[in-house]
Amino acid sequence: MLEDLDALSLRVQRAVQLAQGLQAERADLMAQIQQLQQRCQALQTQQAAERDEFARMSERLARHDLELQAAQKESAQARGTLEIQLHEQRAHAQSLQHSLQASQADCDRLRTAASGAQQQIELILERLPGAEA
């Protein structure tokens, strides 16, 4: 019977040691779980911050797109206005060129007429009595 008690005692000691080992392992696992939970919480916080940053960047990008579209529209309107003005200025320059050519032609005709008139006046003056011969 003493042997049975000794065997039982050994079995109880092994059971206690096993229970203590399991408790230590459980404590280690609980510590790991806690660390993982903390890491998970930190990652969730980081993810939320990155999500907020992404939302801000998306809004900023949308604003820049709208600004770019407005600038492109304004640029296109300005280009159209400048092209119209260029066309008008070219037409005006061409009109002035034609006027200048007409004025130069009139000036040439007047010079020719004036030269002819001067020659006639000189001939008349030479025929007048008392003109030097």
Side-chain angles (χ1 to χ4, degrees), residues 23-34:
Q23 285 179 347
E25 189 177 334
R26 181 180 181 269
D28 287 343
L29 289 174
M30 292 301 288
Q32 288 178 5
I33 288 172
Q34 188 175 9

Side-chain angles (χ1 to χ4, degrees), residues 71-114:
Q72 287 174 336
K73 183 178 179 182
E74 184 179 334
S75 174
Q77 289 174 346
R79 181 184 175 104
T81 300
L82 289 174
E83 286 177 354
I84 290 170
Q85 289 176 351
L86 176 64
H87 179 71
E88 291 172 353
Q89 291 298 321
R90 283 183 179 164
H92 184 65
Q94 191 174 21
S95 173
L96 289 175
Q97 185 71 28
H98 289 301
S99 294
L100 175 63
Q101 289 172 352
S103 293
Q104 286 176 342
D106 288 345
C107 185
D108 289 343
R109 280 193 299 275
L110 288 173
R111 278 191 187 133
T112 303

Side-chain angles (χ1 to χ4, degrees), residues 3-126:
E3 291 176 6
D4 288 340
L5 287 176
D6 284 339
L8 181 60
S9 172
L10 284 175
R11 286 175 59 193
V12 169
Q13 285 177 354
R14 281 189 212 142
V16 168
Q17 288 174 350
L18 181 62
Q20 289 173 344
L22 289 174
Q23 285 179 347
E25 189 177 334
R26 181 180 181 269
D28 287 343
L29 289 174
M30 292 301 288
Q32 288 178 5
I33 288 172
Q34 188 175 9
Q35 288 175 348
L36 288 173
Q37 286 175 338
Q38 289 172 349
R39 185 169 180 218
C40 182
Q41 182 67 29
L43 289 173
Q44 287 175 342
T45 302
Q46 181 181 353
Q47 182 185 25
E50 288 174 357
R51 193 177 310 123
D52 291 344
E53 179 67 19
F54 179 78
R56 282 192 302 275
M57 293 304 272
S58 293
E59 290 173 8
R60 187 174 175 193
L61 180 62
R63 276 195 317 273
H64 285 196
D65 282 345
L66 290 175
E67 290 172 4
L68 180 61
Q69 288 174 0
Q72 287 174 336
K73 183 178 179 182
E74 184 179 334
S75 174
Q77 289 174 346
R79 181 184 175 104
T81 300
L82 289 174
E83 286 177 354
I84 290 170
Q85 289 176 351
L86 176 64
H87 179 71
E88 291 172 353
Q89 291 298 321
R90 283 183 179 164
H92 184 65
Q94 191 174 21
S95 173
L96 289 175
Q97 185 71 28
H98 289 301
S99 294
L100 175 63
Q101 289 172 352
S103 293
Q104 286 176 342
D106 288 345
C107 185
D108 289 343
R109 280 193 299 275
L110 288 173
R111 278 191 187 133
T112 303
S115 177
Q118 187 175 4
Q119 287 176 359
Q120 287 179 356
I121 291 172
E122 286 176 4
L123 287 174
I124 291 174
L125 287 177
E126 286 178 6

